[in-house]
Amino acid sequence: QVQLVESGGGVVQPGDSLKLSCAASGNTFSNNGGTMGWFRQVPGKEREFVAAIRWPGVSTHYADAVKGRFTISRDSAKNTMTLQMNNLKPEDTAVYYCTAHNSRVILSALRFGRSYHYWGQGVQVSVSS
């Protein structure tokens, strides 16, 4: 079993930066065949894919809406994943969820929440002037 704990949410102004972190505990992830990522959800809307990172052969993937502004990374030794969010916009306001799966999710399935087995509780990110 794996538990995911998110941190780093808050209220910021447009153009500001924010860093979200997700710490994994329980069973350790292998550096071979794993996936971690972030989704976000606004009330009344479907859960939206944000970013994911896969290994081995570390590969990162981003939704078009955040490409060039957000960066996903992982510290394998600490089982920690980070989402660096720059130039935040009001439309980035959402609850952000950390997610993980103990295999390398195929590329075509990364955008579907059902592809991931473990989920964090979510953290609020609010971008407003």
Side-chain angles (χ1 to χ4, degrees):
Q1 295 298 122
V2 173
Q3 295 80 44
L4 304 176
V5 179
E6 299 134 320
S7 61
V11 180
V12 297
Q13 297 180 358
D16 285 351
S17 297
L18 198 63
K19 184 171 71 175
L20 303 182
S21 295
C22 176
S25 62
N27 293 345
T28 59
F29 285 101
S30 171
N31 283 334
N32 298 316
T35 308
M36 296 188 74
W38 296 90
F39 283 71
R40 65 188 183 186
Q41 189 166 25
V42 176
K45 299 292 184 180
E46 297 293 328
R47 185 166 47 187
E48 177 188 24
F49 171 78
V50 177
I53 184 167
R54 305 185 297 166
W55 66 96
V58 175
S59 177
T60 57
H61 312 272
Y62 299 92
D64 289 343
V66 307
K67 196 170 298 181
R69 299 188 296 118
F70 291 9
T71 303
I72 189 171
S73 61
R74 174 176 177 260
D75 186 333
S76 60
K78 300 178 180 179
N79 278 338
T80 301
M81 179 181 61
T82 297
L83 184 69
Q84 177 65 50
M85 303 183 292
N86 296 328
N87 192 25
L88 283 161
K89 305 176 182 297
E91 47 265 46
D92 295 319
T93 296
V95 175
Y96 284 71
Y97 296 92
C98 172
T99 189
H101 197 71
N102 57 2
S103 68
R104 195 173 193 268
V105 174
I106 62 174
L107 184 61
S108 61
L110 285 173
R111 297 182 177 272
F112 298 98
R114 65 175 183 265
S115 299
Y116 305 84
H117 186 71
Y118 305 103
W119 293 88
Q121 78 285 355
V123 292
Q124 178 70 48
V125 173
S126 298
V127 185
S128 176
S129 60

